[in-house]
Amino acid sequence: MSTKEKAQLLQPTLPYEMYVNQEVFDTERKEIFSKNWIFVGHTSQVKKVGDFFTFEVGGESILITHANDGKLRAFYNICPHRGTKVEQSEKGNKKILQCIYHGWTFKLDGHVNRAPNFKNIDLGEYNCLKSIQLEVHRSMIFVNLNRKAPSFSNEYTELLSELNRYPFLDSLQLVRENRRLIKANWKAVVDNFLECDHCPVAHPSFSKTFDLSNYSIVPCDKFSYQCSIVKDQDDSLTVRFYWIWPNMMLSVYPGSGNMTTTQLIPIDANQTMAVYRYFFMNEQLTEEEEDMIKFVDQVREEDFDLVELLQSGLHSKAFENGIYSPTENAMQHFHEMVLEALK
Ligand code: FES
Ligand SMILES: [Fe+2]
């Protein structure tokens, strides 16, 4: 094979420019984060009537409520009067929500309860917070800022049938939550999750625990998963790491029912807020479950440190892009989806 033919086998990754350019970032917010289903939280966060939480999607503050009729709803967290952010806290329980500017109050179903400066004037379309599509699947809450988007069930059929392998998903409780501001582009964090070429070098404890000679990476429709087994054990002790388009990671480790999720909130081209959450069957954790959290936390910190190191190099003019190894196929699949969304 000639050198030229060999070089043709080297597939270029996304250009590094796409990881550092603020205009690309703004387009991604519009074309990816404002048009796709985004995981925002779990039903265990809004168990009771009055429970609510806020989250950021596509640069917008989003409010999720559990109203008196038992329904979960999602709204833009923006006052219809003049645009103030209504709910300031990350979570809580309230009977009525209040905008602190002119004191409008809202019921949990989003309707205006009182608008003091309008007395009895008909508020027309301004009589309610602006609602957003919301769907719950396997106790996970997803929203879509695109009013016309097809339903999650239509878009993620293959994923939903894959998740049927975990009957315990609907019984999980959110037990712990952490955040870290990563100084890197959100795609660099996803890229890191989608390959394990770095595992033997960067994750000593992970490589000791899992059989890396028995590691598969499977790209699927709108998600991919990686799968391994605990070293020297049978395949009942399997771990699966899912990436779900565009910014969600979900892992299920061996042992009693569990799930860990990572949500990436893009802040700007060079910064991403990672929200990571641990779900178990009971709020009271066993020693084994505490050890699992420590293990996952350590691997994650190793990853985030690496990604920050990578991001500083992505500004360099040395190369315009990288190349995929044969086992970086899920990363390539992700990049193709990004390019398709930005077309
Ligand atoms: S902006 Fe909210 S009450 Fe005026
Ligand atoms: Fe890693």
Side-chain angles (χ1 to χ4, degrees), residues 1-12 323-324:
M1 196 184 284
S2 71
T3 320
K4 196 175 165 198
E5 280 168 334
K6 272 188 202 156
Q8 278 169 352
L9 293 177
L10 299 176
Q11 293 289 321
I323 46 177
Y324 299 113

Side-chain angles (χ1 to χ4, degrees), residues 142 152 156-164 221 223 242 244:
F142 296 87
F152 185 95
Y156 291 85
T157 319
E158 201 180 334
L159 172 73
L160 289 174
S161 76
E162 164 67 23
L163 294 180
N164 283 337
D221 185 22
F223 75 103
Y242 296 89
I244 300 163

Side-chain angles (χ1 to χ4, degrees), residues 192 195 198-199 203 299 303:
N192 167 271
E195 49 89 2
H198 69 276
C199 298
H203 302 311
V299 175
D303 276 331

